Amino acid sequence: MKLLDPETWGGKLYINGWRAGQDPDYTVIEPATGETLGSVATASRDDVLTAATQAAEAQREWSAKTPRERAAVLRRAGQLFEEHAEEIQSWIIREAGSIPPKAGLETMVAADECYEASALPSLPQGDVLATNEDRWSQSRRLPVGVVSVIAPFNFPLILSIRAVAPALALGNAVLLKPDPRTSVAGGVVLARVFEEAGLPTGLLQLLPGGRETGTAVVEAPEVRVVAFTGSTEAGRHIGEACARLLKRAHLELGGNNAMIVLPDADLDRAASAAAFGSFMHQGQVCMTTGRHLVHEDIYEEYVKRLAEKAEGIPVGNPASEEVALGPIIDENQLKRIDSIVQESVLGGGRIAAGGTYDGPFYRPTVLTDLSTESPAWSEEIFGPVAPVMKFSTVDEAVELANASPYGLSLSILGEVGEAMKIADRVRSGKIHINEQTISDEANAPFGGFGDSGNGTRVGGHQANMESFTELQWLTLRPEIAPYPF
């Protein structure tokens, strides 16, 4: 059976969620070619409210299931991601413009997320508390109820499943709103996997759509937690809405991540790490290396080697060519990337490599001679651009790294002792010594500081438990307590 065969799922209601292929409102376009891949229906506000009601009803029975029953569904989902990896990857390649290794990473991580989540139902669900009263006192964790997951286009499968899997495992229902540009890889794939894994009807509601749909999945009365991954601007609006409605918002937002290259760093390996960090998936990653801070003693040679790497990277259609970089997701993003590059050059920056594009394919670009006010240095570009700046002292490097309002990921290349001292002085949700800035594992906490979000909200049992459960205090006595009234 093909998991995503239109004859299998076309026009079918997704677990009481939304249809794909019937009465389409949105056309799915392959960014590399402009070819139409399919179409999906858009959920209206009324549709979302209906789905939320259904989810809340289904959640009550699901939360009463035994840990073994819930874990079995998550384990089977992980197996299905592995069994149908090739089919799923073909959609990630064509719909998100991913190269095959990146698509393979997504299916592997999706399976890992499900396997990690399958352990959550059996973990301790609370604590026995000390008490000064003649009673037993305990805290226990309960499902929050209904969780809304809003996911972006760049890693559509990973950035959906990392919240969907633990939320379901811990007894919740989920409203899933993928980015409309990747509704299949970030939505239909999950709906079909969990349907085949035996998830009861109503628990995972697939709700494709744009801003109106996103607003509705935040405001639906049954929703208690919103897990959002996307831009800082959109995250602020969601956070404000959740605060007004007294809901918890888990926000994983943008980044302008620094790589600090110390004078003793191996330049060949540093240039390789830097190229991967800035250019992987066309730079369309929240953890992309957006600022290269290089010691002045090795600055010129570093720029030269990084530019050589950039010039040698093949760019093209990952579905039909053997390339390292694919297309930018759409024309608006392409224009934004190029405008930032050109504006930075007008402000005194120099292009050491790239700075051009052909159709949707932007060449890997290296920029130097920048000021801290340059848009290429101060903004999240979300494109394959490596801005490089020199520093003379460690204090200066730390100051420049901390100057950004973002605080998602940081890389330090060089002697470990010095790197550890720097790590203690830089504010970042993730720090990688002698690695580049992009890394993620299902059992590791993931989150950022400042404009990068409101802390670690997913990854690892502790973060997932705190994100998708509520704490309840429970006391009990063998008989009714005496009172003075």
Side-chain angles (χ1 to χ4, degrees):
M1 179 201 74
K2 276 198 167 186
L3 193 73
L4 302 174
D5 191 327
E7 293 185 3
T8 303
W9 57 266
K12 181 178 182 180
L13 277 172
Y14 279 105
I15 315 178
N16 293 336
W18 265 106
R19 288 192 276 273
Q22 238 183 35
D23 303 324
D25 296 310
Y26 189 87
T27 302
V28 181
I29 301 295
E30 183 177 23
T33 65
E35 179 184 336
T36 297
L37 298 178
S39 55
V40 295
T42 297
S44 69
R45 183 176 184 83
D46 287 343
D47 300 328
V48 172
L49 296 178
T50 299
T53 299
Q54 294 171 344
E57 292 173 356
Q59 185 272 332
R60 285 188 283 273
E61 185 175 345
W62 174 244
S63 65
K65 296 282 188 183
T66 65
R68 177 184 295 143
E69 290 173 306
R70 280 186 271 131
V73 172
L74 271 297
R75 285 196 299 270
R76 180 58 185 146
Q79 292 169 351
L80 287 166
F81 278 120
E82 293 177 333
E83 292 170 9
H84 294 274
E86 185 176 350
E87 181 187 3
I88 295 168
Q89 288 164 22
S90 69
W91 274 97
I92 297 172
I93 291 167
R94 298 192 66 190
E95 192 180 31
S98 307
I99 61 173
K102 183 261 190 184
L105 173 68
E106 291 218 47
T107 53
M108 180 187 72
V109 171
D112 287 347
E113 290 284 357
C114 290
Y115 294 140
E116 286 289 330
S118 71
L120 291 173
S122 297
L123 291 178
Q125 305 291 306
D127 296 294
V128 176
L129 307 176
T131 177
N132 291 312
E133 302 293 329
D134 186 18
R135 64 189 178 189
W136 295 282
S137 178
Q138 59 185 268
S139 65
R140 60 177 182 172
R141 290 197 172 273
L142 305 174
V144 297
V146 180
V147 175
S148 284
V149 177
I150 304 175
F153 72 85
N154 54 334
F155 277 75
L157 180 54
I158 290 178
L159 299 183
S160 293
I161 194 66
R162 71 177 183 181
V164 169
L168 290 173
L170 290 167
N172 301 289
V174 174
L175 308 184
L176 172 59
K177 194 207 85 67
D179 188 294
R181 293 167 290 189
T182 49
S183 292
V184 177
V188 175
V189 166
L190 285 87
R192 286 291 295 122
V193 162
F194 279 103
E195 185 177 42
E196 293 298 322
L199 187 72
T201 298
L203 283 168
L204 177 57
Q205 303 277 352
L206 175 57
L207 298 159
R211 181 174 297 181
E212 179 187 355
T213 308
T215 299
V217 300
V218 170
E219 295 181 346
E222 294 84 356
V223 172
R224 299 309 309 150
V225 167
V226 177
F228 171 81
T229 304
S231 72
T232 298
E233 180 183 5
R236 290 187 193 279
H237 291 300
I238 288 172
E240 289 169 0
C242 287
R244 174 172 50 83
L245 297 168
L246 302 180
K247 302 183 181 190
R248 280 156 52 189
H250 303 331
L251 306 174
E252 200 281 282
L253 310 177
N256 191 7
N257 312 290
M259 173 182 284
I260 299 174
V261 186
L262 300 175
D264 61 347
D266 182 308
L267 278 174
D268 281 335
R269 292 192 175 189
S272 176
F276 186 94
S278 282
F279 305 142
M280 191 263 193
H281 193 48
Q282 300 79 263
Q284 298 174 129
V285 189
C286 60
M287 294 176 285
T288 289
T289 305
R291 294 176 296 149
H292 298 243
L293 288 161
V294 184
H295 192 271
E296 59 186 6
D297 290 351
I298 58 172
Y299 175 81
E300 296 297 339
E301 185 62 25
Y302 178 92
V303 170
K304 176 186 173 184
R305 296 193 192 193
L306 181 55
E308 289 172 352
K309 291 280 186 185
E311 295 289 2
I313 293 175
V315 181
N317 183 354
S320 60
E321 306 171 66
E322 192 170 329
V323 296
L325 268 67
I328 303 302
I329 189 66
D330 59 26
E331 187 176 3
N332 287 338
Q333 180 61 17
L334 181 79
K335 289 180 177 177
R336 181 180 183 276
I337 294 166
D338 193 54
S339 69
I340 289 176
V341 170
Q342 301 309 324
E343 185 179 344
S344 298
V345 171
L346 288 174
R350 179 177 68 87
I351 295 176
T356 61
Y357 61 94
D358 181 11
F361 306 105
Y362 205 93
R363 287 294 313 169
T365 299
V366 178
L367 291 176
T368 65
D369 300 338
L370 301 168
S371 71
T372 54
E373 288 76 33
S374 168
W377 188 261
S378 60
E379 298 180 25
E380 181 184 32
I381 304 173
F382 228 63
V385 181
V388 190
M389 185 179 292
K390 68 178 71 172
F391 69 88
S392 58
T393 67
V394 167
D395 287 344
E396 183 184 4
V398 169
E399 183 180 352
L400 286 167
N402 282 332
S404 172
Y406 297 102
L408 184 58
S409 187
L410 180 87
S411 161
I412 310 169
L413 306 182
E415 196 272 320
V416 173
E418 189 65 54
M420 278 299 300
K421 294 177 185 178
I422 294 172
D424 289 341
R425 300 174 60 190
V426 178
R427 184 167 173 77
S428 178
K430 290 168 283 296
I431 296 179
H432 302 291
I433 294 175
N434 286 325
E435 295 185 278
Q436 44 75 45
T437 53
I438 302 173
S439 190
D440 187 19
E441 292 188 49
N443 66 336
F446 191 104
F449 305 152
D451 285 3
S452 291
N454 54 358
T456 296
R457 301 301 181 187
V458 293
H461 71 275
Q462 183 174 349
N464 286 327
M465 193 76 76
E466 290 177 356
S467 291
F468 302 116
T469 64
E470 300 277 13
L471 265 179
Q472 182 187 71
W473 183 31
L474 176 67
T475 67
L476 58 158
R477 293 171 179 259
E479 56 188 31
I480 298 174
Y483 293 96
F485 296 103

